[in-house]
Every structure is written in structure tokens, then in C-alpha cells.
Amino acid sequence: MSKWTREGAMAFLLSPYFLALLWILLVSMVLGGTLASMVDTWSSSETFTHGFLVAPMSLWLAWRSREALAELPLNTPFPAALFLLPLLTVLWLIGSLVSVQVLMQLAFVALLVTGVVAVLGLPIGRVLAFPLGFLFLMVPMGIELEQPMMDLTAKYTVRLIQMSGIPVYQEGRFFQLPTGSWSVVEACSGVRYIIASFTLGLIYAHLTYTSIWRKLAFVAASLVVPVVANVLRAYLIVMIGHLSDMRLATGIDHLIYGWIFFGIVMLLLFWVGGLWAEEQGGKTSSRGADSPAAVTLAPASVRTWVVLAVATVLLSLVPLSRYLTTPGARQVALEDFRLDVDAPWHCVDGSGLRWAPREEPSDRHIERHCSGPATVQLVSDQFLRQEQGREVADYFSGIKGDTDNRWREMERHQNSLTLASGATVEVTASVMRGNATGTQVLVYSWYQVDDVVTASPAGVKLIEARRKLLGQHRVSTRVYLATPLKRADDLESASSVLDSFLRSHGDELLAALAATRT
């Protein structure tokens, strides 16, 4: 190693930039589980594979700003940023208590960014604002858009088919043409296109424009264009399949055509965006990004070390708070579930419908088959203790079909009904269709936590966070009530069956599900 290299390495190790790197390593060690959860999602989901590239891209964007950084003074830490660290610790803690990984991951990245700004100072933080903000794209977000995007894609694809003069029959996300059947599934939702387009759009806007309005306009276009393009992609694939008598665009070529189309759309978007390009769009100094770096590294001052030390102490609150809020072992048991119904209804243990929700581990699984004026199936999962992958409300706790994927959700909407006691209950109504048989089932689902009945998973998470912070420990319940649809257009009759059952016996059902003893 040359003398210059040794001196340069020693200067870096004594500089505030090394302290910022040390902070990143400390956060990654203390919250290693959160970082691992992000990496696991990147490696297991094609939608978020780009997460592996975010940190290297952020580092490259920061390197482009080296000339501007060289003109700024070092050892000007920003202690005021330290006040955010306890708030971010609470945010991470809440996410941990209610098993919301995205909240924990956002807090993890925010802790990284806040500590770096605190150590390096506000002037450097301003120059590195985009590279640091870009790190938030590491967080796997956006999967919640799949359901509404599937509905939107199915709706407008069918409209375009009708405008083409081709007869089509639609049932939710399924539609039938004279040549064959089609359905909009998760991979067709366009969420992958939106996330990829948004990520590329951010980088392109940052490197191409200096005007904030042009940047915002291009980023907005990078969100809108893939939505429209996905509908056109779905329409073209259906038309290729229809015109080829289902010989093309029905296998792996379906996906290939889709990504080729997306690539063409993105090239057109960048070409149009380039017509309004501005000089010096990147965050570099007047000497340009390719000029020799002239960074001088001064040793970190005592004040900078103190800021890092205080930040480290505040970071230690994360594992400490998690330890203090973890409940000790308790002997908690569920009382026997008893549901008394009046004639002409009669309920027995077991299942009378072929439909069943996604199987998940719970402390008690309940199934009752009720017969009378119609057929109603009650399914419930109750949880006394929850953890990641074993919780009453998460993204996959909705109506997702059984474990063999024999059922698919066709449509979903919210219902509100009043029980005999006058209480109002909000439920999610989902129409499920058997993939092999075509049998359809209407399912009402909701959550029950304490005395609160809600159809909102987010509402459940907030209630559970409050309970855990207060040291309370009670049962949380997820409930399904199902009845078969005799015909595809029999939704109103099926809804009246479930509405009537809930109005007559909903109060008793909610009371029976809430019963616990400690």
C-alpha cells in the first residue's frame, strides 16, 4: 500500500464520514432482524428485487455529489436531529408490537438517515438529500395496491374489448370471450410496473432536471403512465389470444409480451422527458461530475463524536423498549365457544360448505354449519398471542382462498348493518369462485378486538398497539360468515341471507366470540 493510500485511509477513518458509516453499521447490527426481513422480501418477491440495487445506487448518487461536498465545511454536526431518534424508536416499537414490518422497516431507514444528518450536519444533509431519501425505496411497499389495481385492470380491459366489438361476459375479475376465458391475477395488476417505473422515474428526474416542477411532473408521469400502459398491455394480450384462437399469449409468452411492452413504454416516457431536459440536473458542483475529486478529510471534532455517542445511547432504547414491553408468560385460556340460535336455525360443529379461508396457525379455530331458511357457514380464528406470521390481521388475513388455491376472490365491497341491539357492524363482503367447479360463495368477514368490531386491518393494528403498550392481554378474533350463491347474479339474495342471520343472532355471536378468562 502506498504512502498516499495509507494517509488517505487514515484520514477517512478519523473523519466524520467514517462516523456516519459507523452509525449505519450500528443501526444495522441493532436492528439486524428488520434489515433481514427486507432482504428476505427482496429475494423472495420479484416485485421488490430492485431493493438489492437501492443502496448501491444511493452510494453512486452520493459519489456524484463529491465536488459539492468538498466545498462544504466538516465538523458541523446537527444535534437537533437527535430529537427525532426517540420518536423513530417509538415508531419501530409500535411496528414491532403489532407485527407491521413495513412500519419497522420505515423506522429503520429513517434512523439511518437521521443519524447520518446529525453526524455530518445540515449543509451536507441538504446536498445528500436525494441519495439519503432514495434509501426509503429499500422498504418493500405497494403490495396493498394489488387488489384495487386488479379491479381497475379488469374493468377497463373489458371496456376496451367491448369497444372493439367483441362480445364479452364479465364476472368481477373473470371475463369470457367466444374463444376462451381470462382472469386478472396478482401478476397482472401492474404493481410491478408501477414500482419499477417510479424508481426509474425518480432517478431520471433527479439527473435530468433542475426545476422542482419538472421533477414532480415527470415523477407523476412515471406513476400514471404504467397504470394506463398496464390496461393496454392486458387488452393487447387478450386480443392476441383471441385473434390467434388462444394459441398465443396464453403461456410464458404472456409475461414476455408484457415486459417487452413495458420496456417500450418506458423508453417512450424517457424520450419524451428528454425533450425538456435541463443542464446540470445532477447534484454536482460547477466543475462537473467527471472532474477530479478534491475532497479534504478533516479529523472529526469532539462535538461530532459527542453527537455520535448520544445517538448511540438513544439507539440503545430500541432493544430496551422491546424488552420492557414484551409481556411475560401468562396463563390465558379461551372459554368454550357456545352459540345458541333460535328456530328455524340450527347450528352444528363442522363444515357444510367446500369453501374454507386460508389456513393459518391460531389458538382456536371454530367452524359451525348452520341450516334453516338457507345455509350459513361460520368460521373463526382466535389469537391469544401474536407474532410475525401468526397474527389476526395482516395482508394475507383477508379472503385469500384455501391453501390449495382452489378459490379466487372475484369482487369485494364494504357492507354496514345494524344488529338487534342497535349496534352497527362493518363487514367486508367478498364473492369467492371455485376455480374448478365455478361454484360461488358470498363471504362476510370482520375483526373483533375487545368490544370493537371492524373490517379494517389497520384499525385492528392500532387497537392492538394501544393494548400492548398498556400491558393488556385479550383475545383477538377474525370471523367469516359464508353462504352459497345459487346463481352468478344472486348476490342480493345471498346478502339478505347473511344480513338476516346477523340481525337475528349477531349479538349472541359477538358475545360468544369475545368470551375469555385469565
Side-chain angles (χ1 to χ4, degrees), residues 42-69:
W42 302 341
S43 59
S44 62
S45 173
E46 294 181 3
T47 303
F48 301 109
T49 306
H50 70 280
F52 286 106
L53 302 176
V54 172
M57 283 298 299
S58 178
L59 193 60
W60 175 76
L61 290 167
W63 177 250
R64 290 186 75 254
S65 304
R66 62 191 182 277
E67 299 294 338
L69 293 174

Side-chain angles (χ1 to χ4, degrees), residues 60 83 86 92 191 253 286 292 308-309 329 340 342 420 426 451 485 517:
W60 175 76
F83 290 101
W92 183 91
V191 171
D253 55 338
S286 58
L308 177 63
D340 299 321
D342 301 326
E426 299 286 340
D451 296 326
L485 274 72
R517 61 183 174 84

Side-chain angles (χ1 to χ4, degrees), residues 204-211 214-215 218 273-274 276-278 281-282:
Y204 187 86
H206 175 70
L207 299 178
T208 308
Y209 307 114
T210 56
S211 167
R214 292 193 186 190
K215 291 182 179 181
F218 189 85
W276 288 274
E278 297 172 305

